[in-house]
Amino acid sequence: LLLRWRRRRELWRKVKEARQRQERSLVQMEMAVRRFREQHPSVNMISILSLPLPELSKKLQDGSLPREHVFYAYVGKALQIATETNCITEYLQESETQLQKAKMTGKLGLLYGVPVSIKDSINCQGHDSTLGFIKNLNKPAAEDSVVVQVLRRQGAIPFVKTNVPQSLISYDCKNLIFGQTFNPLLYTRSPGGSSGGEGALVGGGGSILGFGTDVGGSLRFPAAFCGICALKPTGNRLRPPTMNILFWSLPVVTAVGPMAKDVESLALGMRALLCEDMFHLDSTVPPLPFNEEVYSSTQPLRIGYYETDFFTMPSPAMRRAVRETKQLLEDAGHTLVPFELTNVDYVVFNFCVRGMFADGATSFLKMFKGELEKSSVGLFFWSAKSPNWLKSVLSWIAKPFHLLMPFIGFVSFFSTVDEVWSLHHEIEEFCHQFIAQWKKLNLDVMLCPMLGPALGIGYPGKLSVAVSYTMLYNVLDFPAGVVPVTMVTDKDEEELKGYQGYFRDWWDRTLAKAFRGSVGLPVAVQCVALPWQEELCLRFMKEVETL
């Protein structure tokens, strides 16, 4: 008991030190901004913050807007949003040095002088990548991840790291070290996750371009909840920082991607990353430069669409978002074709949940060993830790009751090699069938629902099953982007009173509660393309954005 007490005291000491570092970071940001304002009292920071990224980038390139003005305008705004939402974990003070060094370099990259924010889990040299785990504190990265290296070579200035949920396996944003991040649009709502710090910072205007990762919707949830845009590319188009991915196995593909307030900014971010530096630094990334011809095309599109996956019943606002977008796309000259999804419940639990825990959740459990808190993934943790005989019994008991489908998925982890091989084969077959259905309808892209509006804080942890709309495209490894298209209306709120869900179980009742009281909050749609067609996906997103 004494040893256990001493170990816990040591862990709490590390947490306290990390929180003090976080506080010092905000003080450093405040001092840096104050110094700048004293030296440059006439700079109009509001006008700088109002510029869209393409215009801002152009002004930085031609020298009509000094880098220092842009940098400190965003440091000041980021400080404000961090104070309101608790989204920043660390200020990268070396960014001020990089700002000065930029003067001496002759070559101007595509993101020259642009301040960018980076998710906690993406390595920045000399800084922790905690993933919300105490054991990862005081273990600074030896070098920048490839994505950060390329951003720097393109002239971007990474200036802050942002908060994540413990383990990244949540679409909320809370951990024991840095606490809860709040939605900048409504503080009682979650910002989404796991790139929730990025969502809050970009959504609040404290960063013009952010980068996160996505294994089940971790870019798309924060974008949808905070009213911004995001792109989850094909998994290997921008190789994710593998050393910081806890336990994702090949069946469920992780991706790294950009977040911004508009689609053109996402395109600029992708354009900057898909360059010779990326292909040289990481030979596993296919050398496919950004295809301008596809992105700038104006040819009418043939678009598949569906309003529901028949697993997670869409909120009235979600359904309306798809219907209205479909109608506007048809009015704009595009062809819309119904697409029917089948067996999504099987996909979620047999491909997604089992795929992520294909080693019997051994890696998952290992990451939590010695941690002070596991509540953010309580059901996953309990299920994973249960002995195999208990999982089998619980699964057998639950199977006759269709209303307990989510529970069956949670208790059915497995770890035998032949089952893992079988899983890979099944997913490959499913992917081929999905693409065959897509091609039979001669589709270019797909319009899909996106879970929303933002759920109340604490609800995502109770509603892990609601990832069905996003995680499908991690299993398929298709590029998928999110664009806000409408806001919740009084009529949506009234219709929500009749929401019962497809299973009418505890999960459905809880989701109905989580949606309530959301008038005025943004609702998004998902835009999807076939693998390696990020430019087409972005072009479709731009069509939706401009409707």
Side-chain angles (χ1 to χ4, degrees), residues 89-289:
T89 58
E90 195 169 6
Y91 174 51
L92 310 183
Q93 204 169 8
E94 68 272 16
S95 57
E96 295 180 42
T97 308
Q98 189 187 342
L99 182 69
Q100 298 305 315
K101 283 183 179 175
K103 294 177 182 177
M104 306 170 203
T105 58
K107 183 191 168 190
L108 303 184
L110 288 176
L111 295 174
Y112 173 72
V114 175
V116 297
S117 49
I118 306 292
K119 183 178 180 177
D120 164 279
S121 58
I122 299 174
N123 279 355
C124 291
Q125 186 178 12
H127 299 275
D128 292 340
S129 296
T130 70
L131 289 76
F133 287 113
I134 300 168
K135 62 163 57 76
N136 291 336
L137 288 169
N138 306 323
K139 293 180 180 176
E143 61 178 3
D144 288 333
S145 65
V146 171
V147 165
V148 174
Q149 288 181 55
V150 176
L151 287 170
R152 291 193 197 278
R153 292 187 186 195
Q154 286 283 20
I157 304 173
F159 76 113
V160 289
K161 293 198 82 175
T162 55
N163 204 23
V164 295
Q166 186 186 40
S167 82
L168 311 189
I169 187 169
S170 169
Y171 62 101
D172 202 348
C173 191
K174 179 186 178 183
N175 61 69
L176 189 67
I177 305 167
F178 301 111
Q180 175 75 51
T181 297
F182 305 95
N183 191 311
L185 304 177
L186 186 61
Y187 299 154
T188 58
R189 297 296 167 121
S190 168
S194 61
S195 308
E198 283 300 314
L201 187 60
V202 176
S207 173
I208 199 165
L209 184 63
F211 291 88
T213 58
D214 189 309
V215 75
S218 296
L219 284 161
R220 290 162 286 164
F221 279 114
F225 285 12
C226 297
I228 59 173
C229 301
L231 175 70
K232 178 205 83 69
T234 311
N236 222 36
R237 189 81 194 261
L238 298 172
R239 192 165 176 81
T242 48
M243 66 179 294
N244 285 318
I245 292 168
L246 306 185
F247 44 81
W248 322 133
S249 60
L250 289 173
V252 183
V253 183
T254 307
V256 60
M259 304 174 79
K261 287 213 167 182
D262 57 76
V263 178
E264 193 60 57
S265 299
L266 299 180
L268 181 55
M270 291 297 290
R271 210 177 272 126
L273 287 172
L274 296 173
C275 64
E276 285 304 316
D277 284 326
M278 171 65 76
F279 310 140
H280 172 72
L281 287 166
D282 190 344
S283 300
T284 65
V285 173
L288 300 171

